[in-house]
Amino acid sequence: MILHDRILPYLDRANLLHVARLNDYWFKLDEPMISAFVERWRPETHTFHMPFGECTVTLQDVAYQFGLPIDGHAVSGCLSDFEQLMEGGKPAWVWFGELFGELPPEDCIDDFTVSFSWFQNKFRVLPAHASEETVQIYARGYIMMLLSTALFTDKSGARVHLRWLPYVADLDGLGKYSWASATLSWLYRCLCRVANRNVKNLTGPLSLLQSWIFWRFPAFRPRGFDAILWPLAARWGRFLPSSDEKGPRVIATRHRLDRLTGDDVSLNVYNAIFCTSVFIYSVG
């Protein structure tokens, strides 16, 4: 996704600018490592059960890793019958046409989703002398893609869901929501879904989970990524996991997890980072 300069103010007001800038730092997922951790997820407590006790991703982690706001209104809605909640009972596709000026071709539509490729091609290049109304349309398109493919990914894969229309309709109101709470809730939901059902493909904000593992468990942290960037997940930009066969790597990670102790977890990692930052700033 191309981040045009003129849509930056809209992303900033929506409190989504930091996570949007992560597009320059997205990293490959270490699927064997993620799989081994997910095996230890317990839906009844929303925690990972480790040899030394329990641990989990918290709101603080989401705020630091993705730069998302904790305070604000709940992000709510219905995944299946959301159209009934549209403003004034307006059909979703009618509202889509009003907000974006056109409808996607039929071969890009599946139920209430649009192919990511249509959004990407449609909003790839912002015209040089675009009106502010056009800029707002591009901002809506970018935010729809960001929410559907970075924070709230699901089994539909590379598709953009229309359930975000009520949010992007009011660009000035996007900043009043607790995007960190919604992202964490979605991660929990996806982890519980895999734990409770015979689901093979894990979805959700897995880059958040992987960054949390790297920060909280130094033994799993890749070497050569020493720069401290904001948001903190940007530290792992361009990370590439091992290309070795996945099966043996999952087994090896299970064994490593079995040997973990409380001393292998960084509990106060954020305090150490920001105390160091303040010290460097004060002596500079």
Side-chain angles (χ1 to χ4, degrees):
M1 297 183 289
I2 297 178
L3 189 57
H4 303 288
D5 288 342
R6 291 187 64 187
I7 73 172
L8 295 181
Y10 293 101
L11 290 169
D12 192 24
R13 291 203 292 271
N15 287 324
L16 295 171
L17 181 57
H18 293 306
V19 74
R21 290 193 182 279
L22 278 177
N23 276 316
D24 294 331
Y25 298 96
W26 284 127
F27 41 84
K28 294 287 185 180
L29 289 175
D30 189 335
E31 295 181 6
M33 180 187 71
I34 294 291
S35 297
F37 268 84
V38 170
E39 289 175 354
R40 290 182 169 271
W41 180 260
R42 296 296 179 267
E44 62 272 14
T45 58
H46 288 168
T47 58
F48 296 98
H49 283 214
M50 297 295 184
F52 54 82
E54 300 178 354
C55 58
T56 194
V57 186
T58 66
L59 276 175
Q60 182 190 46
D61 292 308
V62 184
Y64 282 116
Q65 298 295 334
F66 273 10
L68 291 172
I70 293 176
D71 297 329
H73 298 307
V75 178
S76 62
C78 180
L79 296 181
S80 56
D81 299 325
F82 77 97
E83 192 177 27
Q84 299 176 11
L85 306 176
M86 290 293 189
E87 182 179 304
K90 187 182 299 182
W93 291 109
V94 172
W95 207 0
F96 187 99
E98 292 176 359
L99 291 175
F100 292 99
E102 64 178 279
L103 294 178
E106 291 186 3
D107 60 352
C108 293
I109 296 175
D110 183 10
D111 198 10
F112 287 111
T113 66
V114 180
S115 66
F116 178 80
S117 59
W118 182 84
F119 268 89
Q120 194 170 37
N121 293 331
K122 174 66 179 176
F123 302 109
R124 181 181 297 275
V125 180
L126 179 67
H129 302 291
S131 66
E132 198 59 32
E133 182 179 358
T134 299
V135 174
Q136 290 178 356
I137 292 175
Y138 273 70
R140 291 191 185 101
Y142 188 95
I143 292 171
M144 290 273 285
M145 289 189 287
L146 183 70
L147 295 177
S148 292
T149 64
L151 298 183
F152 304 103
T153 55
D154 57 26
K155 63 180 181 180
S156 66
R159 303 197 67 82
V160 178
H161 202 289
L162 265 63
R163 65 175 173 264
W164 302 115
L165 285 179
Y167 294 91
V168 300
D170 181 15
L171 289 174
D172 290 330
L174 279 169
K176 66 184 180 182
Y177 294 102
S178 173
W179 294 110
S181 300
T183 301
L184 183 63
S185 297
W186 188 251
L187 175 63
Y188 282 7
R189 182 181 187 274
C190 293
L191 291 171
C192 290
R193 184 170 181 268
V194 171
N196 286 328
R197 303 178 185 178
N198 187 23
V199 178
K200 295 182 179 179
N201 296 324
L202 177 63
T203 61
L206 299 182
S207 54
L208 167 64
L209 177 58
Q210 180 161 298
S211 186
W212 174 80
I213 292 172
F214 287 164
W215 277 100
R216 293 294 190 179
F217 298 88
F220 292 91
R221 189 177 300 167
R223 298 178 180 178
F225 293 85
D226 301 321
I228 306 298
L229 303 173
W230 181 261
L232 297 183
R235 179 177 185 176
W236 321 113
R238 311 297 187 269
F239 165 75
L240 293 173
S242 171
S243 58
D244 293 346
E245 188 177 351
K246 293 182 180 180
R249 291 192 58 223
V250 172
I251 296 173
T253 305
R254 289 171 181 162
H255 292 326
R256 294 176 66 186
L257 290 174
D258 288 339
R259 295 192 297 269
L260 287 180
T261 68
D263 294 333
D264 297 317
V265 185
S266 296
L267 297 177
N268 300 313
V269 61
Y270 302 136
N271 292 342
I273 292 169
F274 289 101
C275 285
T276 302
S277 300
V278 170
F279 176 75
I280 294 174
Y281 176 81
S282 66
V283 299

